[in-house]
């Protein structure tokens, strides 16, 4: 076994990402080739690449690269799937004994990360024509034991309050960049949007191939049609009580002064903040914006800076809406696009937990 520093991407035998997987989609070998079939094969590969989001594909590629490297460091091969080896791999991830194949032990991974790794392996095996039975006792029993022994309540990001978002917006300049970032914060908060949903918006339907939705502006508000994580959904964002805090007004101002009437809504700007580009923003910009605005606005100033940065993320916008919207939670559920009220409650950092008193309801 080599003791070289571990790098999950340095082995040339490790799979060639989703490109290699999609290249395996072709016409049947026993069917004679033709221009039409070859074009259909190209189309099928394009659809295969669109089967999951870019972020999901990148995560699955990293999962497979790590597992393949781990197998080879143990003197095994990742193909075909071996439930016994996968069970040992999961145990290694949970114990932190050596899942970074080097001389030193590594920090144990969380149960949610291990579960995600297993999902990544299942997906990768399926793309290579193999079925991984997660119910096999070598996998299922080990995973059940890991969850029983190591499971912890999920670490949740801090929710941003309504007064917080106003304080964050107030720190932004009034150049183009400030108008754009103000719109991102207000629209993301009022819509309970994921950061990927924010930056994927176009002005119109079918403006770009990588569009994740579009916006229609009406007198009473804006209607967002989103191709979200759980499928297509519509999000209604009404106008606010005043222009300074109205997401729809901010959107109109940004589109007008940035002269955007086609393509991505949220694009980059020049360094001086005076010109808008045509390039769509990366969703990481939303996370960086939130963290920077939290610091500038002095939110949770009772904590050290690093702790404050760790508390807030893109999900803080969704958690803020879920926690502080003074409406029935079923409306919040629909707004966020959750399949169940239970999922919505995971986002709620503050709610009236004892509004229904089951103890008194039973007569006690």
């Amino acid at each position: 076994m080599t003791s070289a520093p571990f790098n999950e991407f340095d082995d040339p035998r490790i799979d060639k990402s989703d490109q290699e997987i999609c290249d395996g989609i072709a016409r049947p070998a026993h069917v004679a080739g033709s221009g039409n079939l070859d074009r259909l094969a190209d189309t099928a590969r394009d659809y295969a690449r669109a089967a999951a989001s870019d972020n999901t594909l990148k995560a699955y590629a990293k999962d497979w690269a790590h597992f393949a490297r781990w197998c080879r460091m143990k003197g095994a091969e990742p193909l075909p799937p071996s439930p016994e080896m996968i069970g040992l791999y999961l145990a290694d991830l949970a114990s932190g004994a050596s899942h970074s194949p080097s001389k030193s032990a590594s920090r144990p991974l969380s149960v949610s990360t291990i579960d995600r790794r297993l999902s990544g392996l299942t997906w990768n095996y399926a793309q290579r024509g193999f079925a991984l039975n997660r119910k096999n006792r070598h996998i299922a029993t080990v995973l059940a034991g890991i969850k029983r022994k190591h499971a912890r309540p999920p670490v949740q990001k801090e929710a941003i309050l309504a007064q917080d978002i106003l304080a964050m917006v107030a720190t932004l300049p009034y150049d183009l960049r400030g108008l754009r970032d103000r719109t991102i914060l207000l629209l993301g908060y009022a819509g309970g949007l994921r950061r990927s949903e924010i930056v994927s918006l176009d002005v119109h339907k079918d403006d770009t191939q990588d569009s994740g939705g579009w916006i229609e502006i009406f007198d009473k508000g804006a209607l967002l049609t989103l191709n979200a994580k759980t499928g297509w959904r519509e999000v209604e964002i009404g106008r606010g009580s005043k222009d300074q805090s109205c997401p729809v007004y901010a959107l109109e101002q940004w589109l007008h002064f940035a002269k955007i009437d086609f393509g991505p809504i949220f694009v980059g700007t020049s360094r001086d903040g005076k010109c808008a580009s045509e390039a769509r923003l990366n969703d990481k910009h939303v996370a960086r914006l939130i963290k920077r605005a939290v610091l500038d606005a002095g939110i949770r100033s009772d904590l050290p800076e690093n702790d404050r940065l760790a508390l807030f993320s893109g999900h803080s916008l969704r958690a803020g809406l879920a926690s502080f919207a003074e409406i029935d939670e079923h409306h919040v559920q629909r707004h966020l696009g959750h399949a169940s009220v239970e999922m919505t409650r995971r986002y709620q950092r503050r709610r009236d937990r004892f509004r229904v008193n089951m103890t008194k309801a039973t007569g006690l």
Side-chain angles (χ1 to χ4, degrees), residues 56-103:
T56 299
L57 291 176
K58 289 176 182 176
Y60 284 170
K62 289 181 180 179
D63 293 339
W64 181 257
H66 187 276
F67 174 66
R69 176 73 170 178
W70 181 90
C71 284
R72 288 168 182 139
M73 295 297 287
K74 303 300 182 186
E77 289 293 332
L79 295 172
S82 166
E84 294 85 351
M85 284 302 293
I86 292 175
L88 296 179
Y89 175 66
L90 298 181
D92 203 353
L93 297 179
S95 65
S98 63
H99 71 256
S100 177
S102 63
K103 291 184 177 180

Side-chain angles (χ1 to χ4, degrees), residues 56-227:
T56 299
L57 291 176
K58 289 176 182 176
Y60 284 170
K62 289 181 180 179
D63 293 339
W64 181 257
H66 187 276
F67 174 66
R69 176 73 170 178
W70 181 90
C71 284
R72 288 168 182 139
M73 295 297 287
K74 303 300 182 186
E77 289 293 332
L79 295 172
S82 166
E84 294 85 351
M85 284 302 293
I86 292 175
L88 296 179
Y89 175 66
L90 298 181
D92 203 353
L93 297 179
S95 65
S98 63
H99 71 256
S100 177
S102 63
K103 291 184 177 180
S104 60
S106 300
R107 180 174 58 85
L109 299 185
S110 68
V111 172
S112 60
T113 301
I114 293 172
D115 215 5
R116 206 291 314 286
R117 285 271 177 96
L118 183 56
S119 295
L121 296 185
T122 303
W123 184 89
N124 274 283
Y125 276 123
Q127 305 314 303
R128 290 164 175 80
F130 296 97
L132 177 62
N133 181 13
R134 293 182 54 153
K135 294 183 179 179
N136 182 286
R137 63 186 179 90
H138 294 284
I139 298 175
T141 308
V142 171
L143 185 60
I146 290 171
K147 290 182 176 181
R148 183 177 178 84
K149 187 173 182 179
H150 298 296
R152 298 288 186 274
V155 178
Q156 296 181 316
K157 295 298 181 180
E158 190 89 353
I160 292 176
L161 313 181
Q163 58 264 35
D164 292 339
I165 203 74
L166 294 178
M168 292 163 67
V169 165
T171 67
L172 300 173
Y174 283 90
D175 57 7
L176 270 186
R177 184 177 299 174
L179 285 176
R180 179 199 64 194
D181 290 347
R182 184 174 288 102
T183 305
I184 288 174
L185 290 176
L186 291 174
L187 199 71
Y189 190 83
L193 305 178
R194 300 176 179 89
R195 64 188 194 185
S196 59
E197 294 172 346
I198 296 172
V199 299
S200 70
L201 287 168
D202 278 2
V203 178
H204 308 106
K205 181 181 178 181
D206 299 328
D207 274 359
T208 63
Q209 289 187 341
D210 61 343
S211 170
W214 64 93
I215 291 182
E216 299 171 85
I217 300 177
F218 302 97
D219 290 341
K220 293 185 177 180
L223 177 65
L224 280 59
T225 303
L226 297 168
N227 187 7

Side-chain angles (χ1 to χ4, degrees), residues 31 39 75-76 99 110 138 171 173 198 226 257 268 270 275 313 318 327 351 356:
V31 177
R39 285 191 295 273
H99 71 256
S110 68
H138 294 284
T171 67
I198 296 172
L226 297 168
F257 287 105
S270 59
C275 299
S313 72
R318 284 169 68 79
I327 56 174
R351 59 186 175 90
V356 177

Side-chain angles (χ1 to χ4, degrees), residues 227-305:
N227 187 7
K229 186 177 181 180
T230 54
W232 285 98
R233 83 176 195 273
E234 291 184 343
V235 176
E236 300 173 4
I237 299 180
R239 293 187 181 272
S241 56
K242 51 187 176 181
D243 289 346
Q244 294 91 326
S245 60
C246 176
V248 182
Y249 179 79
L251 174 64
E252 290 172 327
Q253 293 293 296
W254 160 245
L255 293 177
H256 172 72
F257 287 105
K259 297 180 174 60
I260 295 175
D261 56 10
F262 182 85
I265 287 179
F266 295 112
V267 297
T269 62
S270 59
R271 289 189 176 183
D272 60 7
K274 294 181 179 179
C275 299
S277 71
E278 296 181 357
R280 188 187 302 275
L281 280 182
N282 187 286
D283 66 336
K284 291 183 176 62
H285 172 82
V286 180
R288 290 193 296 264
L289 168 62
I290 290 171
K291 291 178 182 293
R292 185 178 70 248
V294 162
L295 292 181
D296 292 345
I299 297 170
R300 293 302 308 269
S301 57
D302 56 308
L303 299 174
E305 181 175 307

